[in-house]
Coordinates of all heavy atoms in Angstrom, one line a residue:
M29 N 0.8 -1.2 0.0 CA 0.0 0.0 0.0 C 0.9 1.2 0.0 O 1.9 1.3 0.7 CB -0.9 0.0 1.3 CG -1.8 1.1 1.3 SD -2.8 0.9 2.9 CE -4.2 1.9 2.4
A30 N 0.5 2.2 -0.8 CA 1.3 3.5 -0.8 C 1.0 4.3 0.4 O 0.0 4.2 1.1 CB 0.9 4.2 -2.1
A31 N 2.0 5.3 0.7 CA 1.8 6.2 1.8 C 0.6 7.1 1.5 O 0.2 7.4 0.3 CB 3.0 7.1 1.9
I32 N -0.1 7.4 2.6 CA -1.4 8.2 2.5 C -1.0 9.7 2.7 O -0.3 10.0 3.7 CB -2.4 7.7 3.5 CG1 -2.7 6.2 3.3 CG2 -3.6 8.6 3.5 CD1 -3.4 5.6 4.5
N33 N -1.6 10.6 2.0 CA -1.4 12.0 2.3 C -2.4 12.3 3.4 O -3.6 12.2 3.3 CB -1.7 12.8 1.0 CG -0.6 12.8 0.0 OD1 0.6 12.8 0.4 ND2 -0.9 12.7 -1.2
I34 N -1.8 12.8 4.5 CA -2.6 13.1 5.7 C -2.8 14.6 5.7 O -1.8 15.4 5.5 CB -1.8 12.6 7.0 CG1 -1.6 11.1 6.9 CG2 -2.6 13.0 8.2 CD1 -2.8 10.3 7.0
N35 N -4.0 15.0 6.0 CA -4.3 16.5 6.2 C -5.2 16.7 7.3 O -5.6 15.7 8.0 CB -4.9 17.0 4.9 CG -6.1 16.3 4.4 OD1 -7.0 16.0 5.2 ND2 -6.1 15.9 3.1
N36 N -5.7 17.9 7.5 CA -6.6 18.2 8.6 C -7.9 17.4 8.6 O -8.5 17.1 9.6 CB -6.9 19.7 8.7 CG -5.7 20.5 9.0 OD1 -4.9 20.1 9.8 ND2 -5.6 21.7 8.5
H37 N -8.3 17.1 7.3 CA -9.6 16.4 7.1 C -9.6 15.0 7.5 O -10.6 14.4 8.0 CB -10.1 16.7 5.7 CG -10.2 18.1 5.3 ND1 -11.1 19.0 5.9 CD2 -9.5 18.8 4.5 CE1 -11.0 20.2 5.4 NE2 -10.0 20.1 4.5
N38 N -8.5 14.3 7.2 CA -8.4 12.8 7.4 C -7.5 12.4 8.6 O -7.4 11.2 8.9 CB -8.0 12.1 6.1 CG -6.6 12.4 5.7 OD1 -5.8 13.1 6.4 ND2 -6.2 11.8 4.6
F39 N -6.9 13.4 9.3 CA -6.0 13.1 10.4 C -6.7 12.2 11.5 O -6.2 11.2 11.9 CB -5.5 14.3 11.0 CG -4.6 14.1 12.2 CD1 -3.3 13.7 11.9 CD2 -5.0 14.3 13.5 CE1 -2.4 13.4 13.0 CE2 -4.1 14.0 14.5 CZ -2.8 13.6 14.3
Q40 N -7.9 12.6 11.9 CA -8.6 11.8 12.9 C -8.8 10.4 12.5 O -8.5 9.4 13.2 CB -9.9 12.5 13.3 CG -10.7 11.9 14.4 CD -10.1 12.1 15.8 OE1 -9.5 13.2 16.0 NE2 -10.2 11.2 16.7
S41 N -9.4 10.2 11.3 CA -9.8 8.8 10.9 C -8.5 8.0 10.5 O -8.5 6.8 10.8 CB -10.7 8.9 9.7 OG -10.1 9.5 8.6
E42 N -7.5 8.6 9.9 CA -6.4 7.8 9.4 C -5.3 7.6 10.5 O -4.6 6.6 10.4 CB -5.8 8.5 8.2 CG -6.6 8.5 6.9 CD -6.8 7.2 6.3 OE1 -6.2 6.2 6.7 OE2 -7.6 7.1 5.4
V43 N -5.2 8.5 11.4 CA -4.1 8.5 12.4 C -4.6 8.1 13.8 O -4.2 7.1 14.3 CB -3.2 9.8 12.4 CG1 -2.1 9.7 13.4 CG2 -2.7 10.0 11.0
I44 N -5.4 9.0 14.3 CA -5.9 8.9 15.7 C -6.7 7.6 15.8 O -6.5 6.8 16.8 CB -6.7 10.1 16.1 CG1 -5.8 11.4 16.1 CG2 -7.3 9.9 17.5 CD1 -4.6 11.4 17.0
N45 N -7.6 7.3 14.9 CA -8.4 6.1 15.0 C -7.9 4.9 14.3 O -8.6 3.9 14.2 CB -9.8 6.4 14.4 CG -10.5 7.5 15.1 OD1 -10.2 7.8 16.3 ND2 -11.5 8.2 14.5
S46 N -6.6 4.9 13.9 CA -6.0 3.7 13.2 C -5.9 2.6 14.1 O -5.5 2.7 15.3 CB -4.6 4.1 12.7 OG -4.0 3.0 12.0
D47 N -6.2 1.4 13.6 CA -6.0 0.2 14.4 C -4.6 -0.4 14.2 O -4.2 -1.4 14.8 CB -7.1 -0.9 14.0 CG -7.0 -1.2 12.5 OD1 -6.4 -0.5 11.7 OD2 -7.7 -2.2 12.1
K48 N -3.8 0.3 13.4 CA -2.4 -0.1 13.2 C -1.5 1.0 13.7 O -1.9 2.1 13.7 CB -2.1 -0.3 11.7 CG -2.9 -1.4 11.0 CD -2.5 -1.4 9.6 CE -3.3 -2.5 8.8 NZ -3.0 -2.4 7.4
P49 N -0.2 0.7 14.0 CA 0.8 1.8 14.2 C 0.9 2.6 13.0 O 0.7 2.1 11.8 CB 2.1 1.0 14.5 CG 1.7 -0.3 14.9 CD 0.4 -0.6 14.2
V50 N 1.1 3.9 13.1 CA 1.2 4.8 12.0 C 2.6 5.5 12.0 O 3.0 6.1 13.0 CB 0.1 5.9 12.1 CG1 0.2 6.9 10.9 CG2 -1.3 5.3 12.2
L51 N 3.3 5.4 10.9 CA 4.5 6.2 10.6 C 4.2 7.4 9.9 O 3.6 7.4 8.8 CB 5.5 5.3 9.8 CG 6.8 6.0 9.4 CD1 7.6 6.5 10.6 CD2 7.6 5.1 8.4
L52 N 4.4 8.6 10.5 CA 4.2 9.9 9.8 C 5.5 10.5 9.4 O 6.4 10.6 10.1 CB 3.4 10.8 10.8 CG 2.0 10.4 11.2 CD1 1.5 11.4 12.3 CD2 1.1 10.3 10.0
D53 N 5.5 11.0 8.1 CA 6.6 11.7 7.6 C 6.2 13.1 7.4 O 5.4 13.4 6.5 CB 7.0 11.0 6.2 CG 8.1 11.8 5.5 OD1 8.8 12.6 6.1 OD2 8.3 11.6 4.3
F54 N 6.8 14.0 8.2 CA 6.5 15.5 8.0 C 7.6 16.0 7.1 O 8.8 15.9 7.3 CB 6.6 16.2 9.4 CG 5.5 15.9 10.3 CD1 5.5 14.8 11.1 CD2 4.4 16.8 10.3 CE1 4.4 14.5 12.0 CE2 3.3 16.5 11.2 CZ 3.3 15.4 12.0
W55 N 7.1 16.6 6.0 CA 8.0 17.0 4.9 C 7.5 18.2 4.2 O 6.4 18.7 4.4 CB 8.1 15.8 3.9 CG 6.8 15.6 3.1 CD1 5.6 15.1 3.6 CD2 6.6 16.1 1.8 NE1 4.7 15.2 2.6 CE2 5.2 15.8 1.5 CE3 7.3 16.7 0.8 CZ2 4.6 16.0 0.2 CZ3 6.7 17.0 -0.4 CH2 5.4 16.6 -0.7
A56 N 8.3 18.7 3.2 CA 7.9 19.8 2.3 C 8.7 19.6 1.0 O 9.8 19.0 1.0 CB 8.3 21.1 2.9
P57 N 8.1 20.0 -0.1 CA 8.7 19.7 -1.4 C 10.0 20.4 -1.7 O 10.9 19.9 -2.4 CB 7.7 20.3 -2.5 CG 6.5 20.7 -1.7 CD 6.8 20.6 -0.2
W58 N 10.3 21.5 -1.0 CA 11.6 22.2 -1.1 C 12.7 21.7 -0.3 O 13.8 22.1 -0.4 CB 11.3 23.7 -0.8 CG 10.6 23.9 0.5 CD1 9.3 24.1 0.6 CD2 11.1 23.9 1.8 NE1 8.9 24.2 2.0 CE2 10.1 24.1 2.7 CE3 12.4 23.7 2.3 CZ2 10.2 24.1 4.1 CZ3 12.6 23.7 3.7 CH2 11.5 24.0 4.6
C59 N 12.4 20.7 0.6 CA 13.4 20.2 1.5 C 14.2 19.1 0.9 O 13.7 18.0 0.6 CB 12.6 19.7 2.8 SG 13.5 18.7 3.9
G60 N 15.5 19.3 0.8 CA 16.4 18.3 0.2 C 16.5 17.0 1.0 O 16.3 15.9 0.4
P61 N 16.7 17.0 2.3 CA 16.7 15.8 3.1 C 15.4 15.0 3.0 O 15.4 13.8 3.1 CB 17.0 16.3 4.5 CG 17.8 17.5 4.3 CD 17.1 18.2 3.1
C62 N 14.3 15.8 2.9 CA 13.0 15.1 2.7 C 12.9 14.3 1.5 O 12.3 13.2 1.5 CB 11.8 16.2 2.7 SG 11.7 17.2 4.2
R63 N 13.5 14.8 0.4 CA 13.5 14.0 -0.9 C 14.4 12.8 -0.8 O 14.2 11.8 -1.5 CB 14.0 14.9 -2.0 CG 13.0 16.0 -2.4 CD 13.3 16.7 -3.7 NE 14.6 17.4 -3.7 CZ 14.7 18.7 -3.4 NH1 13.6 19.4 -3.1 NH2 15.8 19.3 -3.4
I64 N 15.4 12.8 0.2 CA 16.2 11.6 0.4 C 15.3 10.5 1.1 O 15.4 9.3 0.8 CB 17.4 11.9 1.2 CG1 18.4 12.8 0.3 CG2 18.2 10.7 1.7 CD1 19.5 13.5 1.1
V65 N 14.6 11.0 2.1 CA 13.8 10.1 3.0 C 12.6 9.5 2.2 O 12.2 8.4 2.4 CB 13.4 10.8 4.3 CG1 12.4 10.0 5.1 CG2 14.6 11.1 5.1
A66 N 12.0 10.3 1.4 CA 10.7 10.0 0.7 C 10.7 8.6 0.1 O 9.7 7.8 0.3 CB 10.3 11.1 -0.3
P67 N 11.7 8.2 -0.8 CA 11.6 6.9 -1.4 C 11.6 5.7 -0.3 O 11.0 4.7 -0.5 CB 12.8 6.8 -2.3 CG 13.3 8.2 -2.4 CD 12.8 9.0 -1.2
M68 N 12.4 5.9 0.7 CA 12.4 4.9 1.8 C 11.1 4.8 2.5 O 10.6 3.7 2.8 CB 13.5 5.2 2.8 CG 14.9 5.1 2.2 SD 16.2 5.5 3.4 CE 16.2 7.3 3.3
V69 N 10.5 5.9 2.7 CA 9.1 5.9 3.4 C 8.1 5.2 2.5 O 7.3 4.4 3.0 CB 8.7 7.3 3.7 CG1 7.2 7.4 4.1 CG2 9.6 7.9 4.8
E70 N 8.2 5.4 1.2 CA 7.3 4.8 0.2 C 7.6 3.2 0.2 O 6.6 2.4 0.2 CB 7.4 5.3 -1.2 CG 6.8 6.7 -1.3 CD 5.3 6.7 -1.2 OE1 4.6 5.7 -1.4 OE2 4.7 7.8 -0.9
E71 N 8.8 2.9 0.2 CA 9.2 1.4 0.3 C 8.6 0.7 1.5 O 8.1 -0.3 1.4 CB 10.7 1.2 0.3 CG 11.4 1.4 -1.0 CD 12.9 1.3 -0.9 OE1 13.4 0.6 0.0 OE2 13.6 1.8 -1.8
I72 N 8.8 1.4 2.7 CA 8.2 0.9 3.9 C 6.7 0.7 3.8 O 6.2 -0.3 4.2 CB 8.6 1.7 5.1 CG1 10.2 1.6 5.3 CG2 7.9 1.3 6.4 CD1 10.7 2.7 6.3
A73 N 6.1 1.7 3.2 CA 4.6 1.6 3.0 C 4.2 0.4 2.2 O 3.2 -0.3 2.5 CB 4.1 2.9 2.4
K74 N 5.0 0.1 1.2 CA 4.6 -1.0 0.3 C 5.0 -2.4 1.0 O 4.4 -3.4 0.8 CB 5.3 -0.9 -1.0 CG 4.8 0.2 -1.9 CD 5.5 0.3 -3.2 CE 4.8 1.4 -4.1 NZ 5.1 2.7 -3.8
E75 N 6.1 -2.4 1.8 CA 6.6 -3.6 2.3 C 6.0 -4.0 3.7 O 6.1 -5.2 4.0 CB 8.1 -3.5 2.6 CG 8.9 -3.3 1.3 CD 10.4 -2.9 1.5 OE1 10.8 -2.8 2.7 OE2 11.1 -2.8 0.6
R76 N 5.4 -3.1 4.4 CA 4.9 -3.4 5.7 C 3.3 -3.2 5.8 O 2.9 -2.1 6.2 CB 5.6 -2.5 6.7 CG 7.1 -2.7 6.9 CD 7.4 -3.9 7.7 NE 6.8 -4.0 9.0 CZ 7.4 -3.5 10.1 NH1 8.6 -3.0 10.1 NH2 6.7 -3.6 11.3
P77 N 2.6 -4.2 5.5 CA 1.1 -4.1 5.6 C 0.6 -4.0 7.0 O -0.5 -3.6 7.3 CB 0.6 -5.4 4.9 CG 1.7 -6.3 5.0 CD 3.0 -5.5 5.0
D78 N 1.5 -4.3 8.0 CA 1.1 -4.2 9.4 C 1.1 -2.8 10.0 O 0.7 -2.6 11.1 CB 2.1 -5.1 10.2 CG 3.5 -4.7 10.1 OD1 4.0 -4.4 9.0 OD2 4.2 -4.7 11.1
I79 N 1.6 -1.9 9.2 CA 1.6 -0.5 9.6 C 0.9 0.4 8.6 O 0.8 0.0 7.4 CB 3.0 0.1 10.0 CG1 3.9 0.1 8.7 CG2 3.7 -0.7 11.1 CD1 5.1 0.9 8.9
K80 N 0.5 1.6 9.0 CA 0.0 2.6 8.1 C 1.1 3.7 8.0 O 1.7 4.0 9.0 CB -1.3 3.2 8.6 CG -2.0 4.1 7.7 CD -3.2 4.7 8.3 CE -4.3 3.6 8.3 NZ -5.6 4.2 8.7
V81 N 1.3 4.2 6.7 CA 2.3 5.2 6.5 C 1.6 6.4 6.0 O 0.9 6.3 5.0 CB 3.4 4.7 5.6 CG1 4.4 5.8 5.3 CG2 4.1 3.5 6.1
G82 N 1.9 7.6 6.6 CA 1.3 8.8 6.1 C 2.3 9.9 5.9 O 3.4 9.9 6.6
K83 N 2.0 10.8 5.0 CA 2.9 11.9 4.7 C 2.1 13.2 5.0 O 1.0 13.3 4.6 CB 3.4 11.9 3.3 CG 4.2 10.6 3.0 CD 4.7 10.6 1.5 CE 5.7 11.6 1.1 NZ 7.0 11.6 1.8
I84 N 2.8 14.1 5.7 CA 2.1 15.4 6.0 C 3.0 16.5 5.5 O 4.1 16.7 5.9 CB 1.9 15.6 7.5 CG1 1.0 14.4 8.1 CG2 1.4 16.9 7.8 CD1 0.9 14.5 9.6
N85 N 2.5 17.2 4.5 CA 3.2 18.3 3.9 C 3.0 19.5 4.9 O 1.9 20.0 5.1 CB 2.6 18.7 2.5 CG 3.3 19.8 1.8 OD1 3.8 20.8 2.4 ND2 3.3 19.7 0.5
V86 N 4.1 20.0 5.5 CA 4.0 21.0 6.5 C 3.6 22.3 5.9 O 3.0 23.2 6.7 CB 5.3 21.1 7.3 CG1 5.6 19.9 8.1 CG2 6.5 21.5 6.4
D87 N 3.9 22.6 4.7 CA 3.4 23.9 4.1 C 1.9 23.9 3.9 O 1.3 24.9 4.0 CB 4.1 24.1 2.7 CG 5.6 24.4 2.8 OD1 6.0 24.8 3.9 OD2 6.3 24.2 1.8
E88 N 1.3 22.7 3.6 CA -0.1 22.7 3.3 C -0.9 22.4 4.6 O -2.1 22.6 4.6 CB -0.4 21.5 2.3 CG 0.1 21.8 0.9 CD -0.1 20.7 0.0 OE1 -0.6 19.6 0.4 OE2 0.3 20.8 -1.2
N89 N -0.2 21.9 5.7 CA -0.9 21.6 6.9 C -0.2 22.1 8.1 O 0.3 21.4 9.0 CB -1.0 20.0 7.0 CG -1.8 19.4 5.9 OD1 -3.0 19.5 5.9 ND2 -1.0 18.9 4.9
P90 N -0.1 23.5 8.2 CA 0.7 24.1 9.3 C 0.1 23.8 10.7 O 0.8 23.7 11.7 CB 0.7 25.6 9.0 CG -0.5 25.8 8.1 CD -0.6 24.5 7.3
E91 N -1.2 23.5 10.7 CA -1.9 23.2 12.0 C -1.4 21.9 12.5 O -1.1 21.8 13.7 CB -3.4 23.2 11.9 CG -4.0 24.5 11.3 CD -4.1 24.5 9.8 OE1 -3.6 23.6 9.1 OE2 -4.6 25.5 9.3
L92 N -1.2 20.9 11.7 CA -0.7 19.6 12.1 C 0.8 19.7 12.5 O 1.2 19.1 13.5 CB -0.9 18.5 11.0 CG -2.4 18.1 10.8 CD1 -2.4 17.1 9.6 CD2 -3.0 17.5 12.0
A93 N 1.5 20.5 11.7 CA 2.9 20.7 12.1 C 3.1 21.4 13.5 O 3.9 21.0 14.3 CB 3.6 21.5 11.0
A94 N 2.2 22.3 13.7 CA 2.2 23.0 15.1 C 1.7 22.0 16.2 O 2.3 22.0 17.3 CB 1.3 24.2 15.0
L95 N 0.7 21.2 15.9 CA 0.2 20.3 16.9 C 1.4 19.3 17.3 O 1.5 19.0 18.5 CB -0.9 19.4 16.3 CG -1.5 18.3 17.1 CD1 -2.3 19.0 18.3 CD2 -2.4 17.5 16.3
F96 N 2.2 18.9 16.4 CA 3.3 18.0 16.7 C 4.6 18.8 17.1 O 5.7 18.2 17.3 CB 3.6 17.1 15.5 CG 2.6 16.0 15.4 CD1 1.4 16.1 14.8 CD2 2.9 14.7 16.0 CE1 0.5 15.1 14.7 CE2 1.9 13.7 15.9 CZ 0.7 13.9 15.3
Q97 N 4.5 20.1 17.1 CA 5.7 21.0 17.4 C 6.9 20.6 16.5 O 8.0 20.5 17.0 CB 6.1 20.8 18.9 CG 4.9 21.2 19.8 CD 5.3 21.1 21.3 OE1 6.1 20.3 21.6 NE2 4.6 21.8 22.1
I98 N 6.6 20.5 15.2 CA 7.6 20.2 14.2 C 8.5 21.5 14.0 O 8.0 22.5 13.6 CB 7.0 19.8 12.9 CG1 6.2 18.5 13.1 CG2 8.1 19.5 11.8 CD1 6.9 17.3 13.7
M99 N 9.8 21.4 14.3 CA 10.7 22.5 14.2 C 11.7 22.4 13.0 O 12.3 23.3 12.6 CB 11.5 22.8 15.5 CG 10.6 23.1 16.7 SD 9.8 24.7 16.4 CE 8.5 24.6 17.6
S100 N 11.8 21.1 12.6 CA 12.8 20.8 11.6 C 12.2 19.6 10.7 O 11.5 18.7 11.3 CB 14.1 20.4 12.2 OG 15.0 20.0 11.2
I101 N 12.4 19.6 9.4 CA 12.0 18.5 8.6 C 13.2 18.0 7.9 O 14.1 18.7 7.6 CB 10.9 19.0 7.6 CG1 11.3 20.2 6.8 CG2 9.6 19.2 8.4 CD1 10.3 20.6 5.7
P102 N 13.1 16.7 7.5 CA 12.0 15.8 7.8 C 12.0 15.4 9.3 O 13.0 15.3 9.9 CB 12.4 14.5 6.9 CG 13.9 14.6 6.8 CD 14.2 16.0 6.8
T103 N 10.8 15.2 9.8 CA 10.6 14.6 11.1 C 9.7 13.4 10.9 O 8.7 13.4 10.2 CB 9.9 15.6 12.0 OG1 10.9 16.7 12.3 CG2 9.6 14.9 13.4
L104 N 10.1 12.3 11.5 CA 9.3 11.0 11.4 C 8.8 10.8 12.8 O 9.5 10.9 13.8 CB 10.2 9.9 11.0 CG 10.9 10.0 9.6 CD1 11.9 8.9 9.4 CD2 9.8 9.9 8.5
V105 N 7.5 10.5 12.8 CA 6.8 10.2 14.1 C 6.0 8.9 14.0 O 5.4 8.6 13.0 CB 5.7 11.3 14.4 CG1 4.9 11.0 15.6 CG2 6.4 12.7 14.5
V106 N 6.2 8.1 15.0 CA 5.4 6.8 15.1 C 4.3 7.0 16.2 O 4.6 7.4 17.3 CB 6.3 5.6 15.5 CG1 5.5 4.3 15.5 CG2 7.4 5.5 14.4
M107 N 3.1 6.6 15.8 CA 2.0 6.7 16.7 C 1.3 5.4 16.8 O 1.2 4.7 15.9 CB 1.0 7.8 16.2 CG 1.6 9.2 16.1 SD 0.3 10.4 15.8 CE -0.6 10.4 17.4
E108 N 0.9 5.1 18.0 CA 0.1 3.9 18.3 C -1.1 4.3 19.3 O -0.8 5.0 20.2 CB 0.9 2.8 19.0 CG 1.9 2.2 18.1 CD 2.7 1.1 18.7 OE1 2.2 0.5 19.7 OE2 3.8 0.8 18.3
N109 N -2.3 3.9 18.9 CA -3.4 4.2 19.7 C -3.6 5.7 20.0 O -3.9 6.2 21.1 CB -3.4 3.5 21.1 CG -3.3 2.0 20.9 OD1 -4.1 1.4 20.0 ND2 -2.4 1.3 21.6
G110 N -3.2 6.5 18.9 CA -3.4 8.0 19.0 C -2.3 8.7 19.8 O -2.4 9.9 20.0
K111 N -1.3 8.0 20.2 CA -0.2 8.6 21.0 C 1.1 8.4 20.3 O 1.4 7.4 19.7 CB -0.1 7.9 22.4 CG -1.5 7.9 23.1 CD -1.3 8.4 24.5 CE -2.5 8.4 25.4 NZ -3.7 8.9 24.8
I112 N 2.0 9.4 20.5 CA 3.4 9.4 19.9 C 4.2 8.4 20.8 O 4.3 8.5 22.0 CB 4.0 10.8 20.0 CG1 3.2 11.8 19.1 CG2 5.5 10.7 19.5 CD1 3.7 13.2 19.2
V113 N 4.8 7.4 20.1 CA 5.6 6.5 20.8 C 7.1 6.6 20.4 O 8.0 6.0 21.0 CB 5.1 5.0 20.6 CG1 3.8 4.8 21.2 CG2 5.1 4.6 19.1
N114 N 7.4 7.3 19.2 CA 8.7 7.5 18.8 C 8.8 8.7 17.9 O 7.8 8.9 17.1 CB 9.3 6.2 18.1 CG 10.8 6.1 18.3 OD1 11.5 7.0 18.5 ND2 11.2 4.8 18.1
Q115 N 9.9 9.4 17.8 CA 10.0 10.5 17.0 C 11.5 10.8 16.7 O 12.3 10.6 17.6 CB 9.4 11.8 17.7 CG 9.4 13.0 16.8 CD 8.5 14.1 17.4 OE1 7.7 13.8 18.3 NE2 8.8 15.3 17.0
A116 N 11.8 11.2 15.4 CA 13.2 11.4 15.0 C 13.2 12.5 14.0 O 12.4 12.6 13.1 CB 13.8 10.2 14.5
M117 N 14.2 13.4 14.1 CA 14.3 14.5 13.1 C 15.5 14.2 12.2 O 16.5 13.6 12.7 CB 14.6 15.9 13.9 CG 13.4 16.4 14.5 SD 13.7 18.1 15.1 CE 15.0 17.9 16.3
G118 N 15.4 14.7 11.0 CA 16.5 14.5 10.1 C 16.4 13.3 9.2 O 15.7 12.4 9.5
A119 N 17.2 13.3 8.1 CA 17.2 12.1 7.3 C 17.9 11.0 8.0 O 18.8 11.1 8.7 CB 18.0 12.5 6.0
R120 N 17.3 9.8 7.8 CA 17.8 8.5 8.4 C 17.8 7.5 7.3 O 17.0 7.4 6.4 CB 16.8 8.1 9.4 CG 16.5 9.1 10.5 CD 16.8 8.5 11.9 NE 16.6 9.3 13.0 CZ 17.4 10.4 13.3 NH1 18.3 10.7 12.5 NH2 17.2 11.0 14.4
P121 N 18.7 6.5 7.5 CA 18.7 5.3 6.6 C 17.5 4.5 6.9 O 16.9 4.6 7.9 CB 20.0 4.6 6.9 CG 20.4 5.1 8.3 CD 19.8 6.4 8.4
K122 N 17.1 3.7 5.9 CA 15.9 2.9 6.0 C 15.9 2.0 7.3 O 14.9 1.9 7.9 CB 15.7 2.0 4.7 CG 14.4 1.2 4.7 CD 14.3 0.5 3.4 CE 13.1 -0.4 3.4 NZ 13.0 -1.2 2.2
D123 N 17.0 1.4 7.6 CA 17.1 0.5 8.7 C 16.8 1.2 10.0 O 16.2 0.7 11.0 CB 18.4 -0.3 8.8 CG 19.6 0.5 8.9 OD1 19.6 1.7 8.6 OD2 20.7 -0.1 9.3
A124 N 17.2 2.5 10.1 CA 17.0 3.3 11.3 C 15.5 3.7 11.4 O 14.9 3.7 12.5 CB 17.8 4.6 11.3
I125 N 14.9 3.9 10.2 CA 13.4 4.2 10.2 C 12.7 2.9 10.7 O 11.8 3.0 11.5 CB 13.0 4.7 8.8 CG1 13.7 6.0 8.4 CG2 11.4 4.8 8.8 CD1 13.5 6.4 7.0
L126 N 13.1 1.8 10.2 CA 12.4 0.5 10.6 C 12.6 0.3 12.0 O 11.7 -0.2 12.7 CB 12.9 -0.6 9.7 CG 12.5 -0.6 8.3 CD1 13.3 -1.7 7.5 CD2 11.0 -0.9 8.1
A127 N 13.8 0.6 12.6 CA 14.0 0.4 14.0 C 13.1 1.3 14.9 O 12.8 0.9 16.0 CB 15.5 0.7 14.3
M128 N 12.6 2.4 14.4 CA 11.7 3.2 15.1 C 10.3 2.5 15.3 O 9.6 2.8 16.3 CB 11.4 4.5 14.4 CG 12.6 5.5 14.3 SD 12.1 6.9 13.3 CE 10.8 7.6 14.2
L129 N 10.0 1.6 14.4 CA 8.7 0.9 14.5 C 8.8 -0.2 15.6 O 7.8 -0.7 16.0 CB 8.4 0.3 13.2 CG 8.3 1.3 12.0 CD1 8.2 0.6 10.7 CD2 7.1 2.2 12.2

């Protein structure tokens, strides 16, 4: 399954109410490190049916970026049962992203 674009309208249903752990990628199109992380996030989305993967464009969803207090992108957040269980800033190799799960 491909990564889901998360926004203010679907955040509650896709993230908070998810029955699976959710990996969120906070990113922006102008961010170089975000472009490095993006293919790995997409691979994880396709390879791991046991989790949900979402992408949040911070330029289009400043309210969600503020809610998570995102100060730097890319930021990866893992949520379970509507709560943050892990968070990391900056580009990471795929195995480090998987280790967050």
